[in-house]
């Protein structure tokens, strides 16, 4: 079976992509091309470079102490965090590698903050492309490239189906990390809790916004099949639950395998 993959964004929830990729490989699925937004971009280039196992080792090793090492306050760069530690990690694993030299076609999706357009990057430096795709506005510095100011692709295309369709004619499997919204809402803003803090309400509103953007994106560019792992109970900011997320990603493929098989 040949599939093209559109790997969605979702910060710490993105470790679920690892389980999805492992399970597809175990079932003999050939990946024809892959696109990724934000954390999905990281998974996409690791797949393209045949380094998913390396990504898994990194994911499983993340703890609160390691997360603190990525905090470098620098508001002068148009963001809260300077992103230098993230940049070092990317350069450690991809150096001066180019997207066009990967083992399969890869599209990294960012958003042009000025033009208001989705940008699909398929050539050029891997590190620069991924940095653009993960540049959450106001959190990580935007990337200036070819006269554009690029930020996190999740602003416009949380699940980048259009980008991978441009690379492959294979059926598209889209992974929507925002799809388990009702459980996230029930946990984040439970009806039986009378005290609603501004932070809790604001976070719930942001979750709704991201889920709605993902749904609209998929409606405009529908995949052949969409899967939404059951991960709504995990906070998107939490990068320390890789073991659980990897298992839930693999489970999402197993639970939907009868639908996936029909694509072949």
């Amino acid at each position: 079976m040949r599939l093209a993959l559109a790997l969605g964004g979702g910060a710490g929830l993105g470790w679920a992509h690892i389980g999805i990729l492992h399970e597809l490989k175990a079932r003999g699925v050939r990946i024809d091309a892959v696109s990724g937004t934000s954390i999905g971009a990281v998974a996409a280039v690791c797949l393209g470079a045949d380094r998913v196992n390396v990504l898994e080792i990194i994911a499983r090793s993340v703890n609160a102490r390691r997360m603190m090492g990525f905090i470098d306050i620098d508001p002068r760069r148009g963001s809260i965090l300077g992103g230098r530690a993230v940049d070092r990690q990317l350069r450690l694993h991809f150096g001066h590698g180019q997207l066009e030299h990967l083992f399969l076609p890869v599209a990294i999706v960012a958003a042009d903050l000025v033009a208001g357009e989705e940008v699909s990057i398929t050539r050029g430096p891997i590190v620069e492309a991924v940095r653009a795709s993960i540049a959450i506005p106001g959190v990580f510095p935007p990337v200036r490239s070819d006269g554009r100011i690029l930020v996190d692709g999740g602003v416009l295309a949380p699940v980048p189906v259009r980008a991978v369709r441009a690379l492959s004619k294979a059926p598209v499997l889209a992974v929507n990390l925002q799809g388990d919204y009702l459980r996230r809402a029930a946990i984040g803003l439970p009806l039986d809790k009378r005290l609603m803090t501004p932070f809790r309400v604001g976070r719930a509103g942001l979750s709704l916004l991201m889920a709605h953007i993902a749904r609209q994106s998929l409606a405009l560019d529908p995949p052949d099949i969409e899967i939404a792992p059951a991960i709504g109970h995990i906070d998107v900011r939490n990068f320390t639950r890789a073991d659980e997320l990897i298992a839930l990603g693999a489970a999402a493929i197993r639970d939907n395998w009868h639908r996936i098989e029909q694509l072949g």
Side-chain angles (χ1 to χ4, degrees):
M1 181 186 297
R2 292 169 59 248
L3 291 177
L5 301 181
L7 304 181
L13 303 179
W15 299 144
H17 289 315
I18 298 170
I20 287 167
L21 296 176
H22 281 329
E23 190 67 22
L24 289 173
K25 182 178 181 179
R27 292 174 181 268
V29 176
R30 172 189 165 192
I31 307 304
D32 201 55
V34 60
S35 63
T37 289
S38 198
I39 189 69
V42 177
V45 296
C46 286
L47 176 64
D50 195 22
R51 295 184 182 179
V52 177
N53 287 335
V54 175
L55 181 62
E56 180 178 2
I57 292 170
I58 294 171
R60 293 188 187 275
S61 69
V62 173
N63 53 34
R65 183 175 180 180
R66 291 198 67 179
M67 285 300 301
M68 290 297 293
F70 285 91
I71 298 177
D72 58 336
I73 307 298
D74 188 356
R76 297 171 301 175
R77 304 183 70 189
S79 59
I80 297 173
L81 303 180
R84 297 180 185 86
V86 173
D87 187 72
R88 285 195 297 270
Q89 281 294 311
L90 290 172
R91 294 193 183 282
L92 174 65
H93 295 287
F94 296 107
H96 299 287
Q98 304 285 306
L99 287 169
E100 62 269 28
H101 296 159
L102 293 173
F103 295 116
L104 73 160
V106 175
I108 301 305
V109 174
D112 186 331
L113 195 58
V114 176
E117 298 174 344
E118 176 183 335
V119 178
S120 178
I121 307 169
T122 58
R123 301 182 64 84
I126 294 172
V127 172
E128 182 178 291
V130 174
R131 280 184 54 229
S133 188
I134 67 173
I136 303 171
V139 178
F140 288 115
V143 172
R144 294 181 180 270
S145 177
D146 296 328
R148 301 176 183 263
I149 299 179
L150 302 179
V151 296
D152 193 320
V155 172
L156 293 176
V159 191
V161 174
R162 183 187 310 172
V164 80
R165 284 213 188 275
L167 297 178
S168 170
K169 296 186 182 299
V172 174
L173 185 154
V175 182
N176 181 9
L177 300 181
Q178 312 292 337
D180 194 19
Y181 173 75
L182 292 180
R183 180 155 46 162
R184 174 164 292 115
I187 293 174
L189 202 65
L191 293 175
D192 60 352
K193 206 171 189 66
R194 296 183 63 86
L195 178 62
M196 294 191 294
T197 65
F199 177 76
R200 185 182 290 272
V201 174
R203 188 171 62 180
L206 183 59
S207 294
L208 175 58
L209 177 64
M210 293 307 300
H212 181 70
I213 293 173
R215 179 55 46 211
Q216 290 296 106
S217 173
L218 289 165
L220 289 171
D221 297 296
D224 293 279
I225 185 171
E226 172 198 348
I227 63 172
I231 54 180
H233 60 293
I234 300 177
D235 194 311
V236 297
R237 301 165 301 167
N238 191 342
F239 284 83
T240 68
R241 296 177 67 172
D243 293 350
E244 183 179 1
L245 285 163
I246 292 170
L248 289 171
I253 295 298
R254 292 194 297 270
D255 293 345
N256 289 278
W257 184 245
H258 63 288
R259 297 171 57 214
I260 297 171
E261 277 188 310
Q262 295 175 8
L263 299 177

